[in-house]
Amino acid sequence: MAIEVEQKFRSLDSAELQRRLGGLATGPRETIVQVDRYFAHPNRDFALTDEALRLRRVGSHNYITYKGPKLDRTTKSRREIELCLPDDDAAANDSSELLVALGFSPVLEVRKRRTHFVVTWQGRPVEVALDEVEGLGSFVELEIIAEAPGLDAARAVLAGLATELGLDNSERRSYLELLIERQG
Amino acid sequence: MAIEVEQKFRSLDSAELQRRLGGLATGPRETIVQVDRYFAHPNRDFALTDEALRLRRVGSHNYITYKGPKLDRTTKSRREIELCLPDDDAAANDSSELLVALGFSPVLEVRKRRTHFVVTWQGRPVEVALDEVEGLGSFVELEIIAEAPGLDAARAVLAGLATELGLDNSERRSYLELLIERQG
């Protein structure tokens, strides 16, 4: 089972971070706008179970994603199941209607502009995302996909890269959690 | 909102029915094998609420379908929301895993060989499906898609066609319900 090993940091100096990433990145950077619509479960409190269900829109592309509880206390590693849906407005509406018909209810939308780099660090490809999140500010996420036996090695790669990039304001809360806290 | 107005009958003489349909059908008939995997809701008894959630496999094609409660007492008209999923084994597995992660549980599989005709009756296209259902036998379903204001007219078209085809063993229960009763 593939597990997304991920760490997120507040970005205090995005210009300096972009400079350092530019030196390490392999391949072109890409900027996209993502709109994530999160749903509450009909009888399970996702805030307590540390799960999430969302519909993601990127341009005309649609995805449905389930995220399981965090697997450890330092990174954001989770089980993730993502399915592509058809690429059109009808699929975006139908998937939302289907969830509502099943008793799920829309909670919040997270809108962000994401610039995506691939960095090779200690021989491993690491996905780096610089996020400007509407209402929250700038963050950076580091991510490796690993199988269960290689989790510790994957975490060590992320820790090394974070040090190299001068990142130390680790943030384990999701954008959804941060937005909910901000709304009070 | 498009509503599927549908009536189902037990087919007592499939050979005679095929002959009559052959005379009315426009376009080629098509035979496919459908495997429908039905799921129970985490906190709602679909048997009581008269809803259904299924994953359908037709060859390599995958769909997820929600069916709402029947809208009247004589036909099988329901609200239906169906989404295409990607065409591969991974999508079939992932969609099932996603539902299970959300607390849905697999109930039963309905396997059938369906031969599909399009019949024009009173100027309206009607979809006719002859089904050989594993463990249940032969059935025929008549279906028109209608908008809410045209439901009565759509029902009248189906009733006329049923008479023409000599169908009078109406069956309102779903294949899932019939299979559960048979097991019970």
Short mmCIF file of all heavy atoms in Angstrom, two decimals, chain A residues 1 41-44 46 51-53 64-66 79 81-86 90-92 94-95 97-104, chain B residues 1 41-44 46 51-53 64-66 79 81-86 90-92 94-95 97-104:
data_model
loop_
_atom_site.label_atom_id
_atom_site.label_comp_id
_atom_site.label_asym_id
_atom_site.label_seq_id
_atom_site.Cartn_x
_atom_site.Cartn_y
_atom_site.Cartn_z
N MET A 1 0.84 -1.21 0.00
CA MET A 1 0.00 0.00 0.00
C MET A 1 0.87 1.25 0.00
O MET A 1 1.74 1.43 0.86
CB MET A 1 -0.88 -0.01 1.26
CG MET A 1 -1.93 1.08 1.26
SD MET A 1 -2.93 1.05 2.77
CE MET A 1 -1.70 1.62 3.98
N HIS A 41 -18.88 13.57 7.46
CA HIS A 41 -19.44 12.22 7.37
C HIS A 41 -20.81 12.19 8.06
O HIS A 41 -21.01 12.90 9.04
CB HIS A 41 -18.47 11.25 8.05
CG HIS A 41 -18.78 9.80 7.84
ND1 HIS A 41 -19.70 9.12 8.60
CD2 HIS A 41 -18.28 8.90 6.96
CE1 HIS A 41 -19.75 7.85 8.20
NE2 HIS A 41 -18.90 7.69 7.20
N PRO A 42 -21.73 11.34 7.59
CA PRO A 42 -23.08 11.32 8.21
C PRO A 42 -23.10 10.91 9.68
O PRO A 42 -23.95 11.39 10.43
CB PRO A 42 -23.87 10.31 7.35
CG PRO A 42 -22.88 9.63 6.46
CD PRO A 42 -21.68 10.51 6.36
N ASN A 43 -22.20 10.04 10.12
CA ASN A 43 -22.24 9.66 11.55
C ASN A 43 -20.87 9.50 12.18
O ASN A 43 -20.73 8.84 13.20
CB ASN A 43 -23.05 8.37 11.77
CG ASN A 43 -22.32 7.14 11.27
OD1 ASN A 43 -21.48 7.23 10.38
ND2 ASN A 43 -22.62 5.99 11.84
N ARG A 44 -19.85 10.09 11.56
CA ARG A 44 -18.51 9.98 12.11
C ARG A 44 -17.94 11.39 12.13
O ARG A 44 -18.09 12.10 11.14
CB ARG A 44 -17.69 9.10 11.15
CG ARG A 44 -16.47 8.45 11.74
CD ARG A 44 -15.67 7.77 10.65
NE ARG A 44 -16.17 6.48 10.21
CZ ARG A 44 -15.64 5.77 9.21
NH1 ARG A 44 -14.59 6.24 8.56
NH2 ARG A 44 -16.15 4.62 8.87
N PHE A 46 -15.13 13.53 11.56
CA PHE A 46 -13.81 13.45 10.93
C PHE A 46 -12.76 14.25 11.73
O PHE A 46 -11.57 13.96 11.65
CB PHE A 46 -13.86 13.96 9.49
CG PHE A 46 -14.37 12.97 8.47
CD1 PHE A 46 -14.80 13.42 7.23
CD2 PHE A 46 -14.38 11.61 8.72
CE1 PHE A 46 -15.24 12.52 6.26
CE2 PHE A 46 -14.82 10.70 7.76
CZ PHE A 46 -15.25 11.16 6.53
N GLU A 51 -9.80 11.97 9.77
CA GLU A 51 -9.95 11.57 8.38
C GLU A 51 -10.44 12.77 7.58
O GLU A 51 -10.78 13.81 8.15
CB GLU A 51 -11.00 10.45 8.25
CG GLU A 51 -10.65 9.18 8.97
CD GLU A 51 -11.85 8.24 9.05
OE1 GLU A 51 -12.78 8.53 9.82
OE2 GLU A 51 -11.84 7.23 8.34
N ALA A 52 -10.49 12.63 6.26
CA ALA A 52 -11.06 13.70 5.43
C ALA A 52 -11.59 13.11 4.15
O ALA A 52 -11.10 12.10 3.65
CB ALA A 52 -10.01 14.76 5.13
N LEU A 53 -12.63 13.74 3.64
CA LEU A 53 -13.19 13.40 2.33
C LEU A 53 -13.37 14.71 1.58
O LEU A 53 -13.99 15.64 2.11
CB LEU A 53 -14.53 12.69 2.48
CG LEU A 53 -15.21 12.32 1.15
CD1 LEU A 53 -14.43 11.23 0.42
CD2 LEU A 53 -16.65 11.87 1.39
N ILE A 64 -12.02 12.67 -6.41
CA ILE A 64 -12.55 12.45 -5.07
C ILE A 64 -11.45 11.78 -4.27
O ILE A 64 -10.78 10.86 -4.77
CB ILE A 64 -13.86 11.61 -5.09
CG1 ILE A 64 -14.41 11.46 -3.68
CG2 ILE A 64 -13.67 10.25 -5.75
CD1 ILE A 64 -15.83 10.93 -3.63
N THR A 65 -11.23 12.27 -3.07
CA THR A 65 -10.10 11.78 -2.27
C THR A 65 -10.53 11.51 -0.84
O THR A 65 -11.17 12.34 -0.20
CB THR A 65 -8.96 12.83 -2.22
OG1 THR A 65 -8.73 13.30 -3.54
CG2 THR A 65 -7.69 12.24 -1.63
N TYR A 66 -10.15 10.31 -0.35
CA TYR A 66 -10.30 9.98 1.06
C TYR A 66 -8.91 9.99 1.69
O TYR A 66 -7.97 9.43 1.11
CB TYR A 66 -10.92 8.58 1.22
CG TYR A 66 -10.76 8.03 2.62
CD1 TYR A 66 -11.62 8.43 3.64
CD2 TYR A 66 -9.73 7.14 2.92
CE1 TYR A 66 -11.45 7.95 4.93
CE2 TYR A 66 -9.56 6.66 4.21
CZ TYR A 66 -10.43 7.07 5.21
OH TYR A 66 -10.26 6.60 6.48
N ARG A 79 -2.89 7.21 4.86
CA ARG A 79 -3.39 6.41 3.75
C ARG A 79 -4.27 7.34 2.89
O ARG A 79 -5.05 8.11 3.43
CB ARG A 79 -4.23 5.28 4.30
CG ARG A 79 -4.88 4.45 3.23
CD ARG A 79 -5.73 3.39 3.89
NE ARG A 79 -6.37 2.57 2.90
CZ ARG A 79 -7.54 1.98 3.09
NH1 ARG A 79 -8.18 2.13 4.24
NH2 ARG A 79 -8.05 1.22 2.15
N ILE A 81 -6.74 7.47 -0.70
CA ILE A 81 -7.38 6.81 -1.85
C ILE A 81 -7.97 7.91 -2.72
O ILE A 81 -8.83 8.67 -2.27
CB ILE A 81 -8.52 5.86 -1.41
CG1 ILE A 81 -8.04 4.88 -0.34
CG2 ILE A 81 -9.07 5.10 -2.62
CD1 ILE A 81 -9.17 4.06 0.29
N GLU A 82 -7.48 8.02 -3.96
CA GLU A 82 -7.96 9.07 -4.85
C GLU A 82 -8.45 8.48 -6.15
O GLU A 82 -7.80 7.62 -6.73
CB GLU A 82 -6.85 10.09 -5.13
CG GLU A 82 -7.36 11.29 -5.93
CD GLU A 82 -6.43 12.49 -5.80
OE1 GLU A 82 -5.37 12.48 -6.48
OE2 GLU A 82 -6.74 13.41 -5.04
N LEU A 83 -9.60 8.92 -6.59
CA LEU A 83 -10.19 8.48 -7.85
C LEU A 83 -10.39 9.68 -8.77
O LEU A 83 -10.91 10.71 -8.33
CB LEU A 83 -11.58 7.89 -7.59
CG LEU A 83 -11.67 6.43 -7.20
CD1 LEU A 83 -13.07 6.14 -6.70
CD2 LEU A 83 -11.34 5.54 -8.39
N CYS A 84 -10.01 9.52 -10.04
CA CYS A 84 -10.34 10.54 -11.03
C CYS A 84 -11.82 10.44 -11.36
O CYS A 84 -12.36 9.34 -11.49
CB CYS A 84 -9.58 10.30 -12.34
SG CYS A 84 -7.83 10.47 -12.19
N LEU A 85 -12.45 11.57 -11.52
CA LEU A 85 -13.82 11.62 -12.02
C LEU A 85 -13.77 12.25 -13.42
O LEU A 85 -12.73 12.79 -13.81
CB LEU A 85 -14.69 12.46 -11.06
CG LEU A 85 -14.74 11.93 -9.62
CD1 LEU A 85 -15.51 12.88 -8.73
CD2 LEU A 85 -15.35 10.54 -9.59
N PRO A 86 -14.86 12.17 -14.19
CA PRO A 86 -14.82 12.79 -15.52
C PRO A 86 -14.51 14.29 -15.44
O PRO A 86 -14.78 14.94 -14.43
CB PRO A 86 -16.22 12.53 -16.07
CG PRO A 86 -16.69 11.31 -15.35
CD PRO A 86 -16.12 11.44 -13.96
N ALA A 90 -20.49 18.85 -15.10
CA ALA A 90 -21.53 17.90 -14.71
C ALA A 90 -20.98 16.93 -13.65
O ALA A 90 -21.65 16.64 -12.65
CB ALA A 90 -22.04 17.13 -15.93
N ALA A 91 -19.77 16.44 -13.87
CA ALA A 91 -19.18 15.49 -12.90
C ALA A 91 -18.94 16.17 -11.56
O ALA A 91 -19.12 15.57 -10.49
CB ALA A 91 -17.88 14.90 -13.45
N ALA A 92 -18.52 17.45 -11.59
CA ALA A 92 -18.31 18.18 -10.34
C ALA A 92 -19.63 18.30 -9.58
O ALA A 92 -19.70 18.07 -8.37
CB ALA A 92 -17.72 19.57 -10.64
N ASP A 94 -22.47 16.39 -10.07
CA ASP A 94 -23.02 15.07 -9.74
C ASP A 94 -22.31 14.44 -8.54
O ASP A 94 -22.94 13.82 -7.69
CB ASP A 94 -22.91 14.12 -10.95
CG ASP A 94 -23.89 14.46 -12.05
OD1 ASP A 94 -24.78 15.31 -11.81
OD2 ASP A 94 -23.78 13.88 -13.14
N SER A 95 -20.98 14.60 -8.47
CA SER A 95 -20.26 13.98 -7.36
C SER A 95 -20.66 14.64 -6.05
O SER A 95 -20.81 13.98 -5.02
CB SER A 95 -18.74 14.05 -7.59
OG SER A 95 -18.34 15.38 -7.84
N GLU A 97 -23.60 16.14 -5.49
CA GLU A 97 -24.99 15.70 -5.23
C GLU A 97 -25.03 14.29 -4.69
O GLU A 97 -25.84 13.97 -3.81
CB GLU A 97 -25.80 15.73 -6.53
CG GLU A 97 -26.49 17.04 -6.80
CD GLU A 97 -27.56 16.89 -7.89
OE1 GLU A 97 -28.25 15.86 -7.95
OE2 GLU A 97 -27.66 17.81 -8.72
N LEU A 98 -24.18 13.42 -5.22
CA LEU A 98 -24.14 12.03 -4.78
C LEU A 98 -23.74 11.96 -3.29
O LEU A 98 -24.37 11.27 -2.50
CB LEU A 98 -23.17 11.22 -5.64
CG LEU A 98 -23.17 9.70 -5.43
CD1 LEU A 98 -22.94 8.98 -6.77
CD2 LEU A 98 -22.13 9.26 -4.45
N LEU A 99 -22.71 12.74 -2.91
CA LEU A 99 -22.29 12.74 -1.51
C LEU A 99 -23.39 13.28 -0.60
O LEU A 99 -23.67 12.72 0.47
CB LEU A 99 -21.00 13.55 -1.34
CG LEU A 99 -19.74 12.93 -1.95
CD1 LEU A 99 -18.54 13.84 -1.75
CD2 LEU A 99 -19.46 11.55 -1.35
N VAL A 100 -24.05 14.36 -1.04
CA VAL A 100 -25.12 14.95 -0.22
C VAL A 100 -26.28 13.96 -0.07
O VAL A 100 -26.84 13.78 1.02
CB VAL A 100 -25.58 16.30 -0.82
CG1 VAL A 100 -26.86 16.79 -0.16
CG2 VAL A 100 -24.47 17.34 -0.67
N ALA A 101 -26.63 13.25 -1.18
CA ALA A 101 -27.71 12.26 -1.12
C ALA A 101 -27.37 11.15 -0.11
O ALA A 101 -28.27 10.59 0.53
CB ALA A 101 -27.96 11.66 -2.50
N LEU A 102 -26.08 10.86 0.07
CA LEU A 102 -25.65 9.80 1.00
C LEU A 102 -25.50 10.33 2.44
O LEU A 102 -25.09 9.58 3.32
CB LEU A 102 -24.34 9.18 0.53
CG LEU A 102 -24.44 8.34 -0.76
CD1 LEU A 102 -23.05 7.96 -1.26
CD2 LEU A 102 -25.28 7.08 -0.52
N GLY A 103 -25.81 11.60 2.65
CA GLY A 103 -25.78 12.13 4.02
C GLY A 103 -24.51 12.88 4.38
O GLY A 103 -24.36 13.33 5.52
N PHE A 104 -23.58 13.03 3.42
CA PHE A 104 -22.39 13.85 3.66
C PHE A 104 -22.79 15.32 3.48
O PHE A 104 -23.66 15.62 2.67
CB PHE A 104 -21.27 13.49 2.68
CG PHE A 104 -20.72 12.10 2.89
CD1 PHE A 104 -21.39 10.99 2.39
CD2 PHE A 104 -19.56 11.89 3.61
CE1 PHE A 104 -20.91 9.71 2.59
CE2 PHE A 104 -19.07 10.62 3.83
CZ PHE A 104 -19.74 9.52 3.32
N MET B 1 -34.50 18.08 -13.27
CA MET B 1 -33.81 16.84 -12.85
C MET B 1 -34.34 15.67 -13.65
O MET B 1 -35.54 15.43 -13.70
CB MET B 1 -34.07 16.62 -11.36
CG MET B 1 -33.27 15.49 -10.78
SD MET B 1 -33.66 15.22 -9.01
CE MET B 1 -35.33 14.59 -9.08
N HIS B 41 -25.20 1.38 3.87
CA HIS B 41 -24.81 2.70 4.39
C HIS B 41 -24.35 2.56 5.84
O HIS B 41 -24.87 1.71 6.57
CB HIS B 41 -26.04 3.62 4.30
CG HIS B 41 -25.75 5.06 4.57
ND1 HIS B 41 -25.71 5.58 5.84
CD2 HIS B 41 -25.51 6.09 3.73
CE1 HIS B 41 -25.45 6.88 5.76
NE2 HIS B 41 -25.32 7.21 4.48
N PRO B 42 -23.40 3.41 6.28
CA PRO B 42 -22.92 3.28 7.67
C PRO B 42 -23.98 3.48 8.74
O PRO B 42 -23.91 2.86 9.81
CB PRO B 42 -21.81 4.34 7.78
CG PRO B 42 -21.88 5.17 6.55
CD PRO B 42 -22.61 4.38 5.51
N ASN B 43 -24.96 4.35 8.53
CA ASN B 43 -25.97 4.53 9.60
C ASN B 43 -27.39 4.69 9.08
O ASN B 43 -28.25 5.23 9.78
CB ASN B 43 -25.61 5.73 10.51
CG ASN B 43 -25.84 7.06 9.81
OD1 ASN B 43 -25.81 7.13 8.59
ND2 ASN B 43 -26.08 8.10 10.58
N ARG B 44 -27.64 4.24 7.86
CA ARG B 44 -28.98 4.36 7.29
C ARG B 44 -29.30 2.98 6.72
O ARG B 44 -28.47 2.40 6.04
CB ARG B 44 -28.91 5.39 6.17
CG ARG B 44 -30.22 6.01 5.77
CD ARG B 44 -30.06 6.89 4.55
NE ARG B 44 -29.44 8.18 4.77
CZ ARG B 44 -29.15 9.05 3.81
NH1 ARG B 44 -29.42 8.75 2.54
NH2 ARG B 44 -28.58 10.19 4.08
N PHE B 46 -30.76 1.10 4.05
CA PHE B 46 -31.25 1.32 2.69
C PHE B 46 -32.50 0.49 2.40
O PHE B 46 -33.30 0.86 1.54
CB PHE B 46 -30.17 0.99 1.66
CG PHE B 46 -29.14 2.08 1.44
CD1 PHE B 46 -27.92 1.79 0.83
CD2 PHE B 46 -29.40 3.39 1.80
CE1 PHE B 46 -26.99 2.79 0.59
CE2 PHE B 46 -28.46 4.40 1.57
CZ PHE B 46 -27.24 4.09 0.96
N GLU B 51 -33.32 3.18 -0.76
CA GLU B 51 -32.24 3.75 -1.57
C GLU B 51 -31.26 2.63 -1.93
O GLU B 51 -31.38 1.50 -1.42
CB GLU B 51 -31.47 4.81 -0.76
CG GLU B 51 -32.32 5.99 -0.33
CD GLU B 51 -31.56 6.85 0.68
OE1 GLU B 51 -31.42 6.40 1.85
OE2 GLU B 51 -31.12 7.93 0.32
N ALA B 52 -30.31 2.92 -2.79
CA ALA B 52 -29.27 1.95 -3.10
C ALA B 52 -28.01 2.66 -3.54
O ALA B 52 -28.06 3.76 -4.11
CB ALA B 52 -29.74 0.99 -4.19
N LEU B 53 -26.88 2.05 -3.22
CA LEU B 53 -25.58 2.53 -3.69
C LEU B 53 -24.84 1.32 -4.25
O LEU B 53 -24.73 0.30 -3.58
CB LEU B 53 -24.77 3.13 -2.54
CG LEU B 53 -23.39 3.64 -2.93
CD1 LEU B 53 -23.48 4.86 -3.85
CD2 LEU B 53 -22.56 3.97 -1.70
N ILE B 64 -20.22 4.43 -10.49
CA ILE B 64 -20.81 4.45 -9.15
C ILE B 64 -22.20 5.08 -9.29
O ILE B 64 -22.35 6.10 -9.99
CB ILE B 64 -19.93 5.21 -8.13
CG1 ILE B 64 -20.56 5.14 -6.75
CG2 ILE B 64 -19.67 6.64 -8.54
CD1 ILE B 64 -19.62 5.60 -5.64
N THR B 65 -23.18 4.46 -8.68
CA THR B 65 -24.57 4.90 -8.86
C THR B 65 -25.30 4.96 -7.53
O THR B 65 -25.24 4.03 -6.73
CB THR B 65 -25.34 3.91 -9.78
OG1 THR B 65 -24.55 3.64 -10.92
CG2 THR B 65 -26.69 4.48 -10.19
N TYR B 66 -25.97 6.09 -7.30
CA TYR B 66 -26.88 6.23 -6.17
C TYR B 66 -28.30 6.22 -6.72
O TYR B 66 -28.59 6.89 -7.72
CB TYR B 66 -26.63 7.57 -5.45
CG TYR B 66 -27.77 7.94 -4.53
CD1 TYR B 66 -27.88 7.37 -3.26
CD2 TYR B 66 -28.75 8.84 -4.94
CE1 TYR B 66 -28.94 7.69 -2.43
CE2 TYR B 66 -29.81 9.16 -4.11
CZ TYR B 66 -29.89 8.58 -2.86
OH TYR B 66 -30.95 8.89 -2.04
N ARG B 79 -34.94 8.90 -8.45
CA ARG B 79 -33.84 9.80 -8.75
C ARG B 79 -32.58 8.95 -8.84
O ARG B 79 -32.35 8.07 -8.01
CB ARG B 79 -33.69 10.79 -7.60
CG ARG B 79 -32.53 11.73 -7.78
CD ARG B 79 -32.43 12.64 -6.58
NE ARG B 79 -31.33 13.55 -6.71
CZ ARG B 79 -30.69 14.05 -5.66
NH1 ARG B 79 -31.06 13.73 -4.44
NH2 ARG B 79 -29.70 14.90 -5.85
N ILE B 81 -28.26 9.15 -9.59
CA ILE B 81 -27.02 9.91 -9.85
C ILE B 81 -25.94 8.90 -10.19
O ILE B 81 -25.60 8.04 -9.36
CB ILE B 81 -26.58 10.73 -8.62
CG1 ILE B 81 -27.74 11.58 -8.09
CG2 ILE B 81 -25.38 11.60 -8.97
CD1 ILE B 81 -27.43 12.24 -6.74
N GLU B 82 -25.41 8.98 -11.41
CA GLU B 82 -24.38 8.02 -11.81
C GLU B 82 -23.14 8.75 -12.29
O GLU B 82 -23.24 9.71 -13.05
CB GLU B 82 -24.90 7.10 -12.92
CG GLU B 82 -23.91 6.00 -13.29
CD GLU B 82 -24.58 4.85 -14.01
OE1 GLU B 82 -24.86 4.99 -15.21
OE2 GLU B 82 -24.85 3.80 -13.39
N LEU B 83 -21.99 8.30 -11.83
CA LEU B 83 -20.71 8.87 -12.22
C LEU B 83 -19.85 7.80 -12.87
O LEU B 83 -19.74 6.68 -12.33
CB LEU B 83 -19.95 9.35 -10.98
CG LEU B 83 -20.26 10.74 -10.47
CD1 LEU B 83 -19.65 10.90 -9.08
CD2 LEU B 83 -19.67 11.79 -11.41
N CYS B 84 -19.23 8.14 -14.02
CA CYS B 84 -18.24 7.24 -14.61
C CYS B 84 -16.98 7.30 -13.76
O CYS B 84 -16.56 8.37 -13.32
CB CYS B 84 -17.84 7.70 -16.01
SG CYS B 84 -19.17 7.62 -17.19
N LEU B 85 -16.36 6.16 -13.57
CA LEU B 85 -15.04 6.10 -12.94
C LEU B 85 -14.05 5.67 -14.03
O LEU B 85 -14.47 5.23 -15.10
CB LEU B 85 -15.06 5.10 -11.78
CG LEU B 85 -16.09 5.43 -10.68
CD1 LEU B 85 -16.13 4.33 -9.63
CD2 LEU B 85 -15.74 6.77 -10.02
N PRO B 86 -12.74 5.78 -13.78
CA PRO B 86 -11.80 5.35 -14.83
C PRO B 86 -12.00 3.87 -15.18
O PRO B 86 -12.49 3.08 -14.39
CB PRO B 86 -10.43 5.61 -14.19
CG PRO B 86 -10.67 6.69 -13.19
CD PRO B 86 -12.05 6.40 -12.64
N ALA B 90 -7.77 -1.01 -11.29
CA ALA B 90 -7.37 -0.17 -10.15
C ALA B 90 -8.55 0.68 -9.68
O ALA B 90 -8.82 0.79 -8.48
CB ALA B 90 -6.18 0.71 -10.53
N ALA B 91 -9.29 1.26 -10.63
CA ALA B 91 -10.44 2.11 -10.26
C ALA B 91 -11.52 1.27 -9.59
O ALA B 91 -12.17 1.72 -8.64
CB ALA B 91 -10.99 2.82 -11.48
N ALA B 92 -11.72 0.02 -10.08
CA ALA B 92 -12.72 -0.86 -9.45
C ALA B 92 -12.32 -1.14 -8.00
O ALA B 92 -13.16 -1.07 -7.09
CB ALA B 92 -12.84 -2.16 -10.24
N ASP B 94 -10.09 0.66 -6.08
CA ASP B 94 -10.01 1.89 -5.30
C ASP B 94 -11.39 2.39 -4.89
O ASP B 94 -11.58 2.86 -3.76
CB ASP B 94 -9.28 2.99 -6.10
CG ASP B 94 -7.78 2.74 -6.20
OD1 ASP B 94 -7.30 1.81 -5.52
OD2 ASP B 94 -7.11 3.46 -6.94
N SER B 95 -12.37 2.30 -5.80
CA SER B 95 -13.70 2.81 -5.47
C SER B 95 -14.31 1.96 -4.36
O SER B 95 -14.96 2.48 -3.45
CB SER B 95 -14.59 2.85 -6.71
OG SER B 95 -14.62 1.58 -7.34
N GLU B 97 -12.55 0.25 -2.08
CA GLU B 97 -11.79 0.57 -0.85
C GLU B 97 -12.23 1.91 -0.26
O GLU B 97 -12.30 2.07 0.97
CB GLU B 97 -10.29 0.67 -1.16
CG GLU B 97 -9.55 -0.63 -1.04
CD GLU B 97 -8.04 -0.39 -1.02
OE1 GLU B 97 -7.58 0.58 -0.37
OE2 GLU B 97 -7.33 -1.17 -1.66
N LEU B 98 -12.49 2.89 -1.12
CA LEU B 98 -12.92 4.20 -0.65
C LEU B 98 -14.25 4.09 0.09
O LEU B 98 -14.41 4.65 1.18
CB LEU B 98 -13.01 5.16 -1.84
CG LEU B 98 -13.26 6.63 -1.52
CD1 LEU B 98 -12.51 7.52 -2.50
CD2 LEU B 98 -14.72 7.00 -1.55
N LEU B 99 -15.20 3.34 -0.46
CA LEU B 99 -16.49 3.18 0.20
C LEU B 99 -16.33 2.46 1.54
O LEU B 99 -16.94 2.86 2.54
CB LEU B 99 -17.47 2.43 -0.71
CG LEU B 99 -17.96 3.19 -1.95
CD1 LEU B 99 -18.89 2.31 -2.79
CD2 LEU B 99 -18.67 4.48 -1.54
N VAL B 100 -15.50 1.42 1.57
CA VAL B 100 -15.30 0.67 2.82
C VAL B 100 -14.64 1.58 3.87
O VAL B 100 -15.04 1.58 5.04
CB VAL B 100 -14.48 -0.61 2.56
CG1 VAL B 100 -14.03 -1.25 3.86
CG2 VAL B 100 -15.32 -1.61 1.74
N ALA B 101 -13.66 2.39 3.44
CA ALA B 101 -13.00 3.31 4.38
C ALA B 101 -14.00 4.29 4.98
O ALA B 101 -13.87 4.72 6.13
CB ALA B 101 -11.87 4.07 3.68
N LEU B 102 -15.05 4.64 4.23
CA LEU B 102 -16.07 5.58 4.71
C LEU B 102 -17.17 4.89 5.51
O LEU B 102 -18.15 5.52 5.91
CB LEU B 102 -16.69 6.33 3.52
CG LEU B 102 -15.76 7.31 2.81
CD1 LEU B 102 -16.40 7.84 1.53
CD2 LEU B 102 -15.38 8.49 3.74
N GLY B 103 -17.04 3.57 5.74
CA GLY B 103 -18.00 2.87 6.59
C GLY B 103 -19.11 2.14 5.84
O GLY B 103 -20.00 1.56 6.46
N PHE B 104 -19.08 2.18 4.50
CA PHE B 104 -20.04 1.40 3.71
C PHE B 104 -19.55 -0.05 3.68
O PHE B 104 -18.36 -0.30 3.70
CB PHE B 104 -20.15 1.95 2.28
CG PHE B 104 -20.75 3.33 2.22
CD1 PHE B 104 -19.98 4.45 2.48
CD2 PHE B 104 -22.10 3.49 1.92
CE1 PHE B 104 -20.53 5.73 2.45
CE2 PHE B 104 -22.66 4.77 1.89
CZ PHE B 104 -21.88 5.88 2.15
#
